[in-house]
Structure formats: C-alpha cells, structure tokens
C-alpha cells in the first residue's frame, strides 16, 4: 500500500517537477506547510484566545491576533525566500559500487539574497543523511553523499531541499530531480595486475605486477591539472578541503587487460578485479590496452582512456555503441 | 526538524543569549505575582546562562541536577501555592520551569520549547497588567523573543539585522492584527478562570476602621474613567457609589453578613434587583481599571444601559453594581443613572432591621449625647439635619493625618480630637443616627473627578470618599455628607483644595505627575499621557461586544447574518489585498533577470526585421547567423548587447556589476531600435 502511494506520488512529481539539471524554484515546485513548531505556535495562539476570552482580556486577544498575522506574513516570507533559490548539480567524480561517493551540488541565488539554512536529503530513501548548509553567499557548494550498490547506469533519485527560514514556523520543501544519470563502476577488488600481451604479437607473455607498488604516499593540495580520481573525497565532504592522494612512482610497462586478467571464476569478482587493475595502472600512469567483448582499445594512458575501460566494465554485459559515454561531462 | 544529527540542530548561542535577556526582563516585569524564591531561581538561571555565554564558565549544569531541582521546586510550589490560589501558582510554576529549562538548553528543540513557554508567559502576564506602558514593555520583550528565534533559523547572525527585519514584519502584521481584533468574535467567558483571590484588591477597601488609620494612604493611580454622553453632573453631585457598609462592631464598619447572604440567595434564585426609573437619566460609560475586587462604580441610581452590561454585572439591593467576577482586567460598562429616583424601592423592613444594628456597649458619651438630643428633636428629618449641622462647628477640622483613636473611637473623635477625614465623620454620624433609631449606613466610593476633556472624567484613588445614608421614611435612603459640612471645598474643588496643608496631598508619592500640576510642562505631559491611556482603555482594553456591534452598524447599517457574512468576506479580501501589495513585487523576482528580458526583446526585434529565427542557437551563434541580414550599425549594437548579455550571465553576482551591464545594454538597445 505504502509503496503504491509512493509510486503514485513519484509519478505525480515527475509531471509536476520535471527533471532538469539547473533548477530555479517556481511555485509549481515548492511545497509549504506549517512545521511541527508552527503547529505548536498555533495551539499557543488558541490558548491565548481562550485565556483572553475567559479573563475578558482584550490585550491577550490582541496579542493572539498579532501572533496570527505574524504567522500569516511568515507564510509569504518563507515562501519568497525559498523561491529565490537556484540549484544545480555539478559533474561528479568516479563512482564505484558499494562505496560512499558524493554528488557535488551548487546552491545559488541572483539578486536578493536567500537566507537561512537549507537542509538537503535524498527523497524516499530511508536512511538518508541530512546535510544542512547555511546560505551565506551567492554561491554555496556542497556534496551530497550517496551509496550505490550496483554497478551500471544509474539515474539519481530526487533531492529533497527544505528550509525553515525565517522563524521555523513553516517548512518549505521541494523534491527535485537534477537529471543525473551516472555510471557506477564495479567495486575495485584488490588483486595482482595481470597485463597480457596482445595475442597477435607474441604467445601470451604475461607481465605481472606485484601488488603494492602503488603505495599510498601522502596528501597534498588540489591543483587544476590533477585527476579527479585522486581527490580525497572524504576530506572534501568533511572539511571542504580539496586534497589529492599521491602515490609512489611505479615502474613503466605495457600490455593488455582482458577478462582473462582475473582468474576468479565469478564474473562480478572478475569485473571488480579488472577495475582494480585499471585503477592501479592509471594511477601508476602506465599505458595499457583493453580488450573486452567487442571493444578493442590499443594501449594508452589518461583519464579518458580509464573511463572508457571502466564504463565498459560497468555496463557489462551490454555493449557500448561507441566510446561516447557521458561521464566526462 | 528534530532528528537532524547535524550541528544545525544545536541551539544558537546568540539566540539563547537573547532569550535569556528577554526572560530576565519578563521576570522583572512580573515581580508582583512571583514569589521571591522563584525570582531568585530565575536570576540564578540567567546568571548561569550569561556566564556560559560570556565564556566564564564552560559546563552547563547536569540534567540530573536540574531534575532534582525541579522536583524540589514542584514540592515547594505545591506547599506554598496552597495559599496562593491556582492562578498565581501556575504563573510561578511556569516561571520556575522556564528558569530550569534555561539552565540546560543545548538543542534547538529545547530552545523552541523555551520560546513557546516564554511567549505564553508574556501573554499570561496581561492578566496582571494592561496599561499602555506595560504593553509597550511586553512588546519589546516579545520582539526580542522573536529576534532570538530568527537568530536560530537565519544564517545572518547580526542582531541588528534580524531586529530590523522583524520590526518591518511586525509593522506589517499590526494592521492585519488590528483588523482581526476588530472582527474577532467577542465571546463571553467560556468558563470561570481561577483568580488570585488572596492578593489584596487595590483602591477601596471593604472595611473602614476610622480609629486605626492615622495616615490615609493616598495614591494618584487611576480608579476609573467615565465618558458622559450628554450631561456631565456638577462637581458636588459626583458621588460614585461602590459599596455599602452596614455592620459596625465598635471598631470597624464592614459589609453586613446578612447582606452578603442576601446577594448570594438572590443570585441563586436569579432574583436580580431592578430599579424603576423616573425622570431624566444621565448616560455614561465607565472604564474601570483592574481592581481585583467585585464592586463597580455608579452614580445614583443606576440601571444597566444595555444587554451587554446587563450580562456583565449584578444589581444589588443597595443600588450598586457588582461584577460577576473580580476585576482582573479592566472592564467597561454602560450605565443610565436617574438622580431623581428616590432610593426607596428596596425591601424596607430588611434594610431597616439591618441598619439599626449597633454593638451593645461602647462610646457611652456619644450615646448619652444622642439620647439628650433625641429627646429634644423627635422628628427624624430634623434630627438628621441637626446632627449634620453639628459638624459645622469650627472646632471640627479636616485632616488626612489625624491622631490614633482607639477604644471608644467615636467618643474620642467627637469630644476630644475633633479632627479627621471622611471616614471619621461618616462613621460618627452613622453611629449617632443608628443610636437615635434612624436606620443609617456608610457608603464607600469616590467623590469628584477630573475632566480629561468635555465628556470624559478621570477618577483617581485619592478621590476615595465615604458618606452616610439614612432612611427617611417615604423618601427612602437619603444621602448626608458630614465631610461636606466640615470642608465644603472637598466637595466642590476636590481633596487638594480641602487640605489646609498642601504638602499633605499625596505626601507619600514624591514622583507623581499629579503633584507637579502647577508646572505647565508636567501638566501637559500628564494630560497627554492621560489621553493616550484613555484612548487605550477605550478602544483596546475596553473594546467589547457592544462597541463591536456599534462599529459593524456604522459600516453596514442594520446587522443581518447575510451582511455580517459579507463584512467578514470583505475583511478577508482586504487582508488578501494587503498581502498582495506587500508580496506581489517580490514574487516575480526569480522569474527572469532583466538582462535576459532585454536580450530576448532584442532577439524578437532582430527576428522581426531579419526573418532569421534564433531557435535553439546560443547567443553568439545567433549573432553570427543574423549578421548578413541587418545593417552594420545594427549589427554592432547587437554584438555589444550579446556580449554584455553573455557577460552578465557569467559574471559575479554583484548588484553594482549587473546594474552597470544592464544600463549599457539598455543604451545599446535604444540605439539598435533606431537603426532598425
């Protein structure tokens, strides 16, 4: 029953608040209702009215009507403040299944300032974390933590934004679909890097790398040229400090990764181990080729190369039509 | 709101600080109904909070400590509140609960709870005070409570900023509140509320002990105001009856127990006394201040002027009005007084039997004197006139500071001291008349009144007076005022004039503005304050159902349910309109930025003149597309506008930047218009 209602509501929401990456809050999108505190406030007004009537005390009645009109005005003040908000999803970094990752979000306003604290959470997700950010400047950046369990293509759910400004009497909220389709890569699983020579060249001369050459070294500040994979997201989420993980220099080598690079019998484990190998090689800045289903990529290096490979893994068993995936937005 | 585990759910330190200050002010304003230990408790809480805020002390008391304290508080309140009555113990309980809560506030939820309690407390405080100045003080407290709340929810932590914002909102709320107040139904009490019966009533007292009072306490506090519709009685006729004292025990005059029983009995049987009016009435409305007493003030002989008043008061067999419950708040009632009515419409036998009572012993000299005199003058009327005349002897003088007269106080007064104020004279004369076999009683009330304007009279506590009523056969109760014989100025010019020693007037009220009447600045200041106060009590404190329906009648004419409905609808419409005017300009603010509007209207212009449609092209693409179709000059302007538009979209969101871009865009748009 509950599910049915949620489904209906979701359908209704789709119609009422269509998906869009960059959204301004219009009256269609905003819901407003007295908060719990607002309800108590109204009960208090009722009490004052009864007290004023019983003691035949006009000042108390006047206070009661004053509080009521203040309540009424706050309905508008709350709504107008919230309606000035703009929200935009920023490109997110690589996301791996079963690992906490984040969706960077930008809150902004033009013209008159939005005030108060905006509370964000994922809609219809039972144990979503509420992120609260005070709006203090025209642009506010934050990251929404999310946990996606399965690899593959994912459409992100709706984001609930809530604001209690100015007196907490009303809560304004909205459920926005920021139109984010993201590819979730398989969870990396530690294993040896197993680069295979291309079958055309020589008969399977296997080049093996020992695990451990890409040991974590230290954290340093983010520079524009850095790969987003190396950003320590935990730091960003916690302290809003952009830090990059650095690793010790690996040895150069070249070869191909194929499904045979992992010797696990389980397919998902295979994919996970391949993911790990791709990441390891990428971090080490080592060129590698990729042969997977119908995909054949000659050895190369770089973020783009890595992403094509990982996307292919993520989408397995469906085949990518071309290298045009949408994760480097 | 409650389950956020984020730091946002903790209470804001500035918000707590503001609430603490507001709480302190509230406690100070409420000092009268609070017990002293409750005040000490709340001051302690404030000190704890402030020291935490200022960083002198970092640890809040533990919840366990506070729980223990609250148990002790409840026990103490139950113990002491026993004698205090429900109302006062409730107020004390609320204040102590707030103080205890204040000490341990950590979370936002607790802050909100405290806010609601304080809001309720400041509302309940109006039970005790309704004057303009108090309301002003409470409004400030209310504002600071709101500012505290705004600090909790806002992202701007400047107190000044939040105060400004809230002041604007409150000023906008005021007209709506006033409108709602005027049309809100004025219901009768739904049930009788507890009142603080134990606290003394202010103003008149229901006992008179002439011998015991060495120094009549005077107060320049307002007792009530009267607004006369047409005729204002001349100063000597301004006898305001409040209560009748019919029992004398040798020392003090009190309300007779039999009389009190009679009132209760009549109330039980709903047998209200009703006067048969004769002659021309004086119409007026009385705005009585909260006195915590039952008696009301009327000129002789009163009947309620309308149904609303009828429902608020009870007419007693002593030609006085009584309120249905002690006046905890100010009350307004309409009266018609018929001065020509003879006060003989009550139960003659009951009145006579009650008013011949005297203690068996005491005051032998007076008794002897009366017996001698009575033998000479058997006629009741002549006897009363003679007694009254006796006080004209210049040996009697009027003073507010008579010596103590203990024991046979009337003997002492009549034959030894021969000085005193109204109570002494009224008491002595009543005693004399009763001993002579003439039913007599003391009437306590006010005499006099100061005109605020042509129709409005203010009566102060220092106008309190007592006089004598004696039963004169067919005429019924006739008023005799021995004070008027001793000091005629008391009746014509007021108390101040009657005192030979002017310093004695309001001697214990050094700062009363009334005292500085002769200085014109203070006099006009006092007058202005009085007028504001009168306006307040007339239109706000005293606004009642009668006034409400009068108001409706002046708007719509005769009231019918249909018209009333239209009236309510139009009130709603007015409020909606007001809100629309306030908020409509702000609602559109997110729709479209001016630069976009300007750009789009330029595109429209270009599309119309060049037939080149923009479609989904970006601004720069479209500019290139349209170039061949328009003149060079027009293209140049379009180019500048496009560039500025793109710049405005990507530049910093600083108002001054946007403004200069916009003004440039406008300039080029005008030029472009000319070119096309």
């Amino acid at each position: 029953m509950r599910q049915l209602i949620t489904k209906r509501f979701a359908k209704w929401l789709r119609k009422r608040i269509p998906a869009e990456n960059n959204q301004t809050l219009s009256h269609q999108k905003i819901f407003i209702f007295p908060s719990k505190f607002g309800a108590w406030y109204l009960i208090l007004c009722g009490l004052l009215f009864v007290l004023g009537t019983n003691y035949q005390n006009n000042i108390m009645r006047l206070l009661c009507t004053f509080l009521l009109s203040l309540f009424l005005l706050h309905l508008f003040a709350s709504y107008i403040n919230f309606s000035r908000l703009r929200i935009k999803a920023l490109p997110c970094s690589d996301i791996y299944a079963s690992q906490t990752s984040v969706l960077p979000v930008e809150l902004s306003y033009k013209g008159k300032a939005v005030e108060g604290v905006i509370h964000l959470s994922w809609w219809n997700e039972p144990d979503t974390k509420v992120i609260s950010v005070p709006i203090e400047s025209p642009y506010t950046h934050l990251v929404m933590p999310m946990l996606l369990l399965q690899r593959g293509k994912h459409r992100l759910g709706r984001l609930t934004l809530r604001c209690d400004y100015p007196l907490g009497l009303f809560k304004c909220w909205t459920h926005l679909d920021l139109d984010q389709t993201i590819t979730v890569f398989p969870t990396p699983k530690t294993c040896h890097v197993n680069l295979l020579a291309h079958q055309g060249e020589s008969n399977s001369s296997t080049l093996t790398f020992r695990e451990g050459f890409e040991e974590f070294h230290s954290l340093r500040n983010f520079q524009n040229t850095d790969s987003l994979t190396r950003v320590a997201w935990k730091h960003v989420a916690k302290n809003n400090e952009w830090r990059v993980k650095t690793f010790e220099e690996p040895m150069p080598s070249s070869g191909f990764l194929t499904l045979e690079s992992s010797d696990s019998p389980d397919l998902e484990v295979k994919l996970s181990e391949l993911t790990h190998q791709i990441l390891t090689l990428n971090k080490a800045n080592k060129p590698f080729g990729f042969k997977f289903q119908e995909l054949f990529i000659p050895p190369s290096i770089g973020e783009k190369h890595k992403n094509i490979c990982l996307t292919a893994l993520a989408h397995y068993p469906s085949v990518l039509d071309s290298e045009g995936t949408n994760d480097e937005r | 709101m409650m389950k956020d585990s984020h730091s946002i759910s903790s209470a804001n330190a500035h918000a707590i600080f503001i609430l603490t200050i507001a709480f302190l002010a509230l406690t100070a304003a409420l000092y009268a109904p609070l017990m002293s230990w409750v005040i000490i408790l709340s001051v302690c809480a404030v000190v704890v909070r402030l020291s935490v805020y200022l960083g002198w002390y970092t640890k809040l008391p533990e919840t366990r400590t506070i729980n223990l304290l609250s148990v002790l508080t409840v026990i103490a309140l139950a113990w002491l509140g026993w004698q205090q009555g429900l109302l006062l113990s409730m107020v004390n309980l609320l204040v102590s609960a707030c103080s205890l809560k204040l000490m341990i506030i950590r979370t936002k939820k607790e802050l909100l709870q405290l806010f609601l309690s304080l809001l309720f407390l400041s509302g309940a405080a109006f039970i005790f005070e309704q004057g303009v100045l108090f309301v002003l003080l409470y409004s400030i407290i209310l504002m600071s409570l709101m500012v505290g709340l705004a600090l909790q929810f806002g992202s701007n932590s400047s107190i000044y900023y939040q105060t400004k914002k809230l002041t604007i909102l409150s000023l906008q709320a005021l007209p709506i509140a006033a409108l709602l107040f005027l049309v809100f139904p004025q219901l009768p009490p739904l049930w009788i509320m507890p009142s603080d019966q134990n606290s003394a009533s202010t103003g008149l007292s229901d006992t008179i002990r002439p011998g015991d009072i060495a120094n009549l306490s005077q107060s320049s506090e307002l007792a009530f105001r009267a607004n006369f519709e047409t005729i204002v009685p001349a100063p000597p006729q301004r006898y305001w009856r409040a209560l009748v004292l019919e029992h004398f025990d040798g020392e003090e005059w009190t309300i007779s127990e039999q009389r009190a029983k009679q009132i209760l009995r009549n109330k039980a049987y709903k047998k209200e006394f009703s006067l048969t009016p004769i002659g021309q009435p004086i119409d007026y409305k009385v705005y009585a201040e909260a006195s915590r007493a039952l008696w009301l003030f009327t000129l002789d002989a009163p009947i309620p002027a309308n149904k609303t008043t009828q429902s608020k008061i009870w007419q007693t067999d002593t030609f006085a009005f009584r309120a249905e419950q002690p006046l905890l708040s100010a009350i307004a009632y309409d009266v018609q007084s018929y001065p020509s009515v003879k006060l003989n419409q009550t139960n003659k036998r009951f009145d006579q039997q009650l008013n011949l009572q005297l203690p068996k012993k005491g005051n032998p000299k007076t008794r002897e004197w009366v017996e001698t005199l009575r033998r000479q003058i058997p006629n009741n009327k002549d006897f009363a006139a003679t007694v009254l005349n006796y006080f004209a002897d210049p040996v009697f003088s009027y003073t507010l500071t008579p010596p103590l007269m203990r024991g046979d106080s009337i003997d002492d007064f009549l034959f030894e001291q021969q000085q005193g104020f109204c109570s002494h004279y009224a008491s002595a004369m009543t005693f004399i008349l009763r001993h002579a076999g003439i039913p007599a009683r003391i009437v306590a009330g006010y005499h006099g009144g100061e005109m605020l304007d042509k129709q409005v009279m203010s009566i102060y506590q220092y106008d309190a007076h007592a006089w004598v009523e004696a039963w004169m056969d067919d005429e019924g109760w006739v008023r005799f005022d021995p004070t008027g014989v001793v000091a005629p100025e008391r009746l014509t010019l007021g108390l101040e004039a009657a005192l030979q020693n002017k310093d004695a007037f309001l001697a214990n009220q050094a700062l009363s503005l009334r005292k500085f009447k002769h200085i014109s600045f203070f006099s006009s200041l006092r007058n202005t304050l009085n007028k504001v106060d009168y306006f307040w009590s007339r239109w706000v404190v005293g606004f009642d159902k009668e006034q409400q329906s009068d108001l409706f009648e002046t708007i719509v004419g005769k009231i019918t349910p249909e018209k009333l409905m239209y009236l309510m609808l139009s009130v709603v419409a007015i409020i909606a309109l007001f809100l629309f005017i306030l908020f409509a300009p702000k609602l559109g603010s997110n729709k479209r930025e001016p630069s976009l509007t300007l750009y789009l209207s330029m595109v429209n212009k270009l599309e119309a003149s060049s037939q080149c449609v923009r479609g989904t092209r970006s601004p720069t693409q479209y500019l290139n597309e349209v170039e061949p179709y328009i003149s060079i000059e027009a293209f140049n302007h379009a180019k500048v506008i496009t560039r500025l538009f793109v710049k405005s979209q990507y530049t910093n969101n600083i108002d001054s930047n946007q403004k200069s871009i916009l003004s440039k865009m406008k300039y080029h748009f005008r030029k472009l218009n000319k070119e096309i």
Side-chain angles (χ1 to χ4, degrees), chain A residues 11 78 86 93 165 209 236 277 280 283:
Chain A
K11 200 176 156 196
S78 276
R86 289 146 180 258
S93 63
Y165 183 82
F209 282 93
V236 180
Q277 296 184 25
T280 314
K283 268 174 207 158

Side-chain angles (χ1 to χ4, degrees), chain A residues 193-197 203-208:
Chain A
V193 174
N194 193 10
L195 275 184
L196 305 170
N203 19 351
S204 71
S205 64
T206 314
L207 296 153
T208 307

